[in-house]
Every structure is written in structure tokens, then in C-alpha cells.
Amino acid sequence: MLATYTQVTPTRLLDALRVATNQLHVDLEKRLPFFSPVLDHAYFLRLLQAYHGFYRPLEAALLTSGLVPPALAQAERIKTPALLTDLQALGMTEPDIDSLVQCPQLPVIDSPGACLGVMYVLEGATLGGQVLRREIHKRLGLDEHSGASFLNVYGSATGPRWKAFLEYLDCVSGDDATTEAAAQAAQSTFACFEHWLDAQEVLL
Ligand code: HEM
């Protein structure tokens, strides 16, 4: 079913993003503990805390950049509130969450292309979330009410929102500078995220 999300004719920009990040995705996926027997509730909480430390400042940076195209309805795509809900469901108070460490080294969002590159990574990650959601329910018994809403952050809108994102990419004039900026920002997003997760000691 997930495969149907990507059945849109690849654009030059989408092709460039995929080529630039495919290996980075494979490498990070191997190191994430979602399918590992060592993942228990305590480890999952640490993992979500680390995700929060990256998504919260990065989504704030997207907002302040003023570069998210209105057509991509940024308000609908904010994922930090789901992480806050999950951390509270797992027992954290709001002040505890606010005092969690946040990643200081984020991808630079200084052009429309860079903004799309960062968004490509965060939007694409919602697709894998569908696989992870099922696994975490099976393994830890968690669902959207008990600490795993982030993994199904768009619910039934996952497919349509991804499709809308790809359609937007399709409309962007894929000049070389935009394509280059998007590809670099997408690579940087993966690299910064992996580096951060590593520093938080949540990777395998
Ligand atoms: C163990 C963890 C993960 C698994 C199992 C996973 C799995 C997947 C799967 C199955 C897809 C393809 C969905 C489809 O074609 O319909 C996908 C796409 C994608 N994932 Fe992941 N993912 C994981 C983690 C991540 C993370 C942490 C990120 C980035 C923060 C990420 C970014 C992406 C992107 C950008 C795409 C879109 C690729 C494209 O079609 O252009 N994934 N993932």
C-alpha cells in the first residue's frame, strides 16, 4: 500500500532529491532501533526525546524562514505537537519536555530550494512512519493514544499529503540552482539528524 504513495511521475527535482538521499536513508534506517529486540519502553522514550530535540527547532526554523510555500499548508504539516503529546502520554510533564536538549546544528534554510529539501526529508519520513507504527504497536503495545501518535502523525491524510507535496515539486521550476540547493539541504537534514541521534546515543 505504501508503494502507491510514490506512483507520481518523478520530476527532475524529485529525482535529484532521491539520488542525493537514497543511501543516507538506507544507512540511517539500519541504525534506528525500531525493529531491534533491545527496544523497550525506556529506549522508545529516549528515542522520542531525541526526535523532539531535532524536529522542534527544525520546524521552528522552517516557520521563521518564511520560505514554506503557502500551497504546502505548513500549519497542517507541523509534527512537533504529536511528539509533545507522545512525551506527555509516556509520563513527561510540559516543563520537563521544554527543558529537553535541542539540536544546535540544523540544516541551513536560506532559499526556497533549501526549504523544499528539508521538507522533502520530513514529509518523506511520514511514509516510513506507517511501517514503524505497526511495529511499535506489535512490539510495545503503543498506539496514537499511548505514546506513538508521531508515527501516524497524518493518519489517513498520509498518502494525500505526500501526493500533494510531490505535485508541488512537479510545479517548481527545476532550475539548476534550486535543484542543487534542495539536494544539498536534504542531504544536510539526514546528516544533521543522524549526527544528533548518535550524540543522544539512541542509534544502534
Ligand atoms: C527504521 C526507520 C525507517 C523506515 C523503516 C523507513 C521506511 C520507509 C519506507 C518504506 C518508505 C517508502 C514509502 C513509499 O515508497 O511509499 C520511506 C520513504 C522515505 N523515508 Fe523513510 N523510513 C525510516 C526512517 C526514515 C527517517 C528517519 C527519515 C528522515 C528523517 C526518512 C525519510 C524518508 C524519505 C524522505 C522518504 C521518501 C522517499 C521517496 O519516495 O522519495 N525515513 N521510508
Side-chain angles (χ1 to χ4, degrees), residues 1-6 14 18 21 25 28-30 32 34-35 51 55 120-129 131-132 162 166 189-190 193 197:
M1 189 181 69
L2 282 168
T4 59
Y5 296 163
T6 53
L14 179 59
R18 284 179 168 160
T21 59
H25 185 283
L28 179 55
E29 198 182 325
K30 276 191 206 142
L32 280 163
F34 291 101
F35 293 88
Y51 265 71
Y55 272 73
Y120 165 75
V121 179
L122 299 187
E123 292 310 304
T126 67
L127 304 181
V131 181
L132 304 179
W162 177 243
L166 295 190
T189 307
F190 267 104
F193 193 33
L197 295 175

Side-chain angles (χ1 to χ4, degrees), residues 100-123:
L100 287 171
V101 280
Q102 295 188 19
C103 180
Q105 198 191 335
L106 296 168
V108 177
I109 307 167
D110 58 358
S111 67
C115 179
L116 288 178
V118 171
M119 286 190 77
Y120 165 75
V121 179
L122 299 187
E123 292 310 304

Side-chain angles (χ1 to χ4, degrees), residues 6 8-15 18 170:
T6 53
V8 172
T9 312
T11 61
R12 193 160 149 250
L13 187 48
L14 179 59
D15 276 343
R18 284 179 168 160
D170 214 10

Side-chain angles (χ1 to χ4, degrees), residues 8-157:
V8 172
T9 312
T11 61
R12 193 160 149 250
L13 187 48
L14 179 59
D15 276 343
L17 286 165
R18 284 179 168 160
V19 168
T21 59
N22 181 45
Q23 192 56 48
L24 296 170
H25 185 283
V26 171
D27 294 346
L28 179 55
E29 198 182 325
K30 276 191 206 142
R31 300 191 66 201
L32 280 163
F34 291 101
F35 293 88
S36 164
V38 299
L39 187 79
D40 58 12
H41 283 82
Y43 194 159
F44 183 68
L45 173 60
R46 288 201 301 116
L47 187 58
L48 279 194
Q49 288 171 339
Y51 265 71
H52 165 274
F54 189 73
Y55 272 73
R56 188 165 176 171
L58 185 54
E59 288 195 326
L62 278 170
L63 193 68
T64 51
S65 76
L67 291 166
V68 177
L72 290 179
Q74 187 178 17
E76 276 180 11
R77 293 177 186 267
I78 298 283
K79 291 165 262 300
T80 300
L83 286 167
L84 301 180
T85 302
D86 290 343
L87 290 171
Q88 284 183 318
L90 293 169
M92 292 190 74
T93 64
E94 234 177 285
D96 283 348
I97 296 169
D98 289 342
S99 61
L100 287 171
V101 280
Q102 295 188 19
C103 180
Q105 198 191 335
L106 296 168
V108 177
I109 307 167
D110 58 358
S111 67
C115 179
L116 288 178
V118 171
M119 286 190 77
Y120 165 75
V121 179
L122 299 187
E123 292 310 304
T126 67
L127 304 181
Q130 293 295 303
V131 181
L132 304 179
R133 173 179 68 92
R134 286 191 283 275
E135 185 63 19
I136 291 305
H137 187 247
K138 198 172 72 183
R139 204 171 274 270
L140 303 178
L142 300 178
D143 61 21
E144 64 270 33
H145 306 294
S146 53
S149 71
F150 174 76
L151 301 179
N152 190 27
V153 63
Y154 291 164
S156 60

